[in-house]
Amino acid sequence: MNTVYYKTVEVNGLEIFYIEAGDKANPTLLLLHGFPSSSFMFRHLIRDLKDKYHLIAPTYPGFGLSSMPLIEKFDYNFDNLSVIIERFIDTLDIKKATFLMHDYGGPIGFRILMRRPELLECLIIQNANAYKEGLTESSQPLFDLWENPSVENRKKAAQLLTIDGTKFQYYEGASDSLKIEPSAIYTDQYFLDRPENKEIQLTLLYDYRHNVEVYDLWQKQLATIQPATLIIWGENDQFFSKNGALKYGEDIEDIEFHFYPTGHFPLEEFHTDIAQKIDNFLSRKLVR
């Protein structure tokens, strides 16, 4: 029951890779990854929690080992990715889950919960922004791209897709960079460096502007459904600030905050402690 499995399932004609572990009789955690990673980012957390939870970590189209259709054959935007993951949820017959959302997992997860709030048991937010106050100066190349998608601005934004950009996301703000597995960085970069993938990622970076436009809708939804929420946040994140994390407390009453002295990927340094915080939280909040 506690074996970790690496699977694929067909959704809308695409092969969606996912990791699954734990007894299906236990509470389900749906792990939604961020950029530029994949379900691989949850490798430690899955092993930390698989004895007590049923864990499902899908990889989005265009990322990791899932299908990567060409841009002319697939609309790479957050609306479409959320539809794919919603249908993935239904394909696996998941009726209720705690959503853990990191980075891009936020825009994807929030869209699903706008349509299907009944799927949610509890909410865990890890460096996934939903407030304009959380945006930082490090995202200026993206702001410029959103304002004017010129060749020059696309080149500047594309720096985020280089090995230096990926290292920046992992190392900047970390307490001890020696705790961060180089394999995480180079795995992400391997998939970014595939032919056509940088165009796919630039398309999504440009589409992210539409997420900012609907932040207020997500905030209203959170205030309406009032999920028990755990905030896990690398407080030195160069893209999504601690101020943005704290803003969730203005809309959600039952909320718990845990900040870590690290950057955008807190699981790389602190997965053991984070797993304990998640287990403590869910043990109190889930009614079985």
Side-chain angles (χ1 to χ4, degrees):
M1 286 185 180
N2 295 330
T3 302
V4 179
Y5 294 97
Y6 305 91
K7 303 180 178 182
T8 59
V9 64
E10 185 174 313
V11 179
N12 285 19
L14 302 175
E15 291 295 315
I16 300 300
F17 174 84
Y18 67 103
I19 304 174
E20 182 173 15
D23 189 340
K24 291 182 180 180
N26 289 332
T28 296
L29 273 70
L30 179 70
L31 310 177
L32 299 178
H33 69 83
F35 163 84
S37 195
S38 66
S39 51
F40 183 72
M41 70 166 284
F42 295 114
R43 63 201 181 281
H44 298 306
L45 191 69
I46 288 170
R47 294 187 181 278
D48 291 339
L49 293 174
K50 64 185 175 65
D51 292 341
K52 296 184 69 173
Y53 299 94
H54 175 226
L55 299 117
I56 299 284
T59 294
Y60 318 135
F63 292 77
L65 292 171
S66 287
S67 291
M68 190 190 78
L70 300 180
I71 288 176
E72 57 266 26
K73 295 184 178 180
F74 183 83
D75 262 341
Y76 283 96
N77 58 60
F78 286 93
D79 285 339
N80 210 15
L81 292 184
S82 76
V83 168
I84 295 294
I85 297 304
E86 182 179 351
R87 291 180 181 171
F88 168 86
I89 290 168
D90 291 339
T91 300
L92 268 60
D93 198 31
I94 298 170
K95 303 300 185 185
K96 282 279 189 183
T98 290
F99 281 47
L100 189 161
M101 308 187 310
H102 174 259
D103 187 55
Y104 277 12
I108 291 167
F110 282 130
R111 280 175 168 79
I112 295 171
L113 296 177
M114 290 289 289
R115 298 189 293 264
R116 305 271 296 279
E118 71 278 3
L119 289 171
L120 186 65
E121 286 197 300
C122 294
L123 185 60
I124 303 172
I125 298 174
Q126 179 187 290
N127 292 75
N129 194 55
Y131 297 86
K132 291 181 180 178
E133 291 84 354
L135 300 173
T136 70
E137 292 181 1
S138 292
S139 294
Q140 189 60 50
L142 298 185
F143 304 154
D144 293 340
L145 178 69
W146 301 343
E147 182 71 23
N148 177 15
S150 65
V151 172
E152 181 180 356
N153 285 338
R154 284 174 62 85
K155 285 182 179 178
K156 289 179 181 178
Q159 292 301 306
L160 193 60
L161 309 176
T162 65
I163 185 61
D164 287 340
T166 302
K167 286 180 177 179
F168 179 85
Q169 290 206 69
Y170 275 90
Y171 287 137
E172 193 68 23
S175 286
D176 186 353
S177 62
L178 297 180
K179 292 181 179 179
I180 296 173
E181 290 182 42
S183 61
I185 296 166
Y186 287 97
T187 295
D188 287 356
Q189 195 61 43
Y190 170 83
F191 290 111
L192 285 175
D193 286 342
R194 289 176 294 174
E196 301 284 339
N197 194 261
K198 284 186 169 59
E199 285 302 310
I200 289 169
Q201 300 303 333
L202 275 174
T203 299
L204 286 170
L205 289 171
Y206 182 55
D207 188 63
Y208 195 94
R209 72 196 191 280
H210 295 309
N211 297 327
V212 179
E213 292 168 0
V214 296
Y215 276 175
D216 62 328
L217 298 181
W218 302 347
Q219 295 159 20
K220 290 175 183 176
Q221 178 75 334
L222 290 173
T224 298
I225 66 176
Q226 286 295 323
T229 300
L230 176 66
I231 303 291
I232 298 292
W233 209 273
E235 62 185 355
N236 301 328
D237 190 332
Q238 298 298 299
F239 297 97
F240 297 144
S241 72
K242 185 176 181 178
N243 287 337
L246 292 169
K247 289 290 289 185
Y248 283 102
E250 296 183 11
D251 291 309
I252 302 170
E253 296 176 5
D254 186 359
I255 191 165
E256 183 177 318
F257 293 91
H258 293 284
F259 292 101
Y260 291 86
T262 191
H264 190 62
F265 288 97
L267 289 175
E268 291 301 311
E269 288 190 86
F270 297 105
H271 65 87
T272 301
D273 189 75
I274 290 171
Q276 291 172 351
K277 294 292 193 302
I278 290 173
D279 184 35
N280 290 340
F281 173 77
L282 293 180
S283 295
R284 288 182 279 109
K285 300 301 180 181
L286 290 177
V287 178
R288 293 293 179 182

